[in-house]
Amino acid sequence: MAIDIKGPAELEKMLDSCIMAAACLRMAGTHVRPGVTTGYLDKLCHEYILDHGGIPAPLNYHGFPRSICTSIDDVVCHGIPDDKRALREGEIVNVDVTTILHGYHGDTSATYAVGEVLPDARLVTETARECLALGIATVSPKSRIRDIGAAIEDHAHSKDCSVVRDYCGHGIGREFHTEPQVPHYRFQGRNPRLRAGMTFTIEPMINLGTWKVDLQSDGWTVLTRDRRLSAQFEHTLLVTPDGHDVLTDPAKIAGSKWDV
Ligand code: MF3
Ligand code: CO
Ligand code: CO
């Protein structure tokens, strides 16, 4: 299975979707505070995306019931927004936004502190943020998929954190999840070279304790097995001839049509 290479016309559409996703995430982040429900964050994002001509990709994706994922504390990923679940001071919450615009996906997430948080919560959040940045820094046509996870794993371990193995980054474009699979740890096996025009996400899930996870009976919510904290950041990337472009970089919002 070859990894798709995108041309300029496709990339223009995809970039628009990615900047929309970044703008939606930034908007949602400004609403994170104690007392706000995850269901309200979902409603804000749902309306934002529809108002701007897009489609929230998670909604009905393999039966997912809402438009974004909201993952609090020991929830690793795929938390389901809930109109009865208010955020509480001291929690951390990952908000994961995926848009479809002009037929192309944009996928980005960030972990936010709810009010003041304890040092452990800050550590896992900052480590996850740094892991994403270090993974991104490896990306160029001179590198391979494994270089990404190697950089992430080394940094996570240096902070006594672990890297989730059951969920990976992914190729993205007209499809939500496609080739290549992007592990956030050193793996054995097929290790494709990166080529200009490839688009994929990097989205490390970093845990304070064990990397092992449990799937809840709702079929979606993924928890750390030891119920300690987990944090995640995600960007959608393009491999360019001399490196990479972070398509969901919030710095791209300023001066774009999404800057409102
Ligand atoms: N946005 C998630 C990702 O980064 C996927 C969510 S799929 C859903 O790949 F169905 F859970 F929404
Ligand atoms: Co993703
Ligand atoms: Co995502």
Side-chain angles (χ1 to χ4, degrees):
M1 243 184 301
I3 301 167
D4 185 48
I5 301 292
K6 289 177 186 68
E10 287 181 284
L11 287 170
E12 189 182 333
K13 293 181 209 171
M14 184 149 164
L15 176 62
D16 207 32
S17 188
C18 285
I19 303 176
M20 178 204 250
C24 180
L25 177 62
R26 185 178 76 173
M27 177 280 296
T30 66
H31 290 270
V32 170
R33 71 179 75 92
V36 168
T37 67
T38 55
Y40 181 67
L41 297 177
D42 175 73
K43 176 182 145 75
L44 287 173
C45 292
H46 180 87
E47 287 173 359
Y48 181 97
I49 293 166
L50 292 186
D51 284 351
H52 292 83
I55 300 166
L59 186 61
N60 301 319
Y61 180 76
H62 295 285
F64 191 78
R66 304 292 292 250
S67 295
I68 61 170
C69 299
T70 51
S71 302
I72 300 170
D73 281 357
D74 56 357
V75 179
V76 170
C77 62
H78 304 165
I80 302 171
D82 179 344
D83 299 322
K84 296 196 231 358
R85 178 58 164 91
L87 297 171
R88 298 189 276 261
E89 176 98 20
E91 291 177 332
I92 55 174
V93 61
N94 174 276
V95 177
D96 192 338
V97 173
T98 314
T99 54
I100 307 172
L101 188 65
H102 321 302
Y104 287 85
H105 289 77
D107 192 4
T108 182
S109 84
T111 297
Y112 300 96
V114 183
E116 289 294 313
V117 302
L118 291 172
D120 265 3
R122 228 180 337 261
L123 171 75
V124 74
T125 302
E126 291 317 308
T127 301
R129 191 194 313 276
E130 292 155 3
C131 282
L132 173 56
L134 291 166
I136 289 172
T138 69
V139 173
S140 92
K142 294 192 180 71
S143 66
R144 291 176 180 268
I145 286 285
R146 191 184 293 139
D147 301 331
I148 299 167
I152 290 170
E153 181 177 282
D154 287 347
H155 186 64
H157 290 175
S158 81
K159 299 287 179 179
D160 284 323
C161 290
S162 67
V163 179
V164 169
R165 303 176 74 88
D166 299 50
Y167 300 87
C168 295
H170 49 91
I172 183 167
R174 283 199 171 275
E175 285 180 88
F176 196 163
H177 296 106
T178 183
E179 296 286 301
Q181 185 160 256
V182 183
H184 304 112
Y185 54 90
R186 269 193 195 82
F187 62 95
Q188 301 297 314
R190 226 177 76 80
N191 181 23
R193 191 182 286 282
L194 301 180
R195 283 180 55 200
M198 288 181 179
T199 54
F200 54 83
T201 74
I202 304 178
E203 49 182 298
M205 287 142 271
I206 303 300
N207 296 352
L208 266 188
T210 180
W211 56 268
K212 291 184 181 161
V213 301
D214 287 327
L215 181 62
Q216 289 298 86
S217 55
D218 62 17
W220 285 106
T221 310
V222 178
L223 292 176
T224 57
R225 187 155 292 171
D226 58 12
R227 305 303 192 258
R228 294 186 70 195
L229 296 175
S230 184
Q232 180 180 24
F233 289 82
E234 175 175 25
H235 277 306
T236 299
L237 308 188
L238 166 68
V239 183
T240 62
D242 42 40
H244 56 264
D245 190 10
V246 182
L247 300 181
T248 47
D249 187 345
K252 291 189 187 292
I253 301 167
S256 80
K257 72 185 205 224
W258 304 107
D259 193 9
V260 280

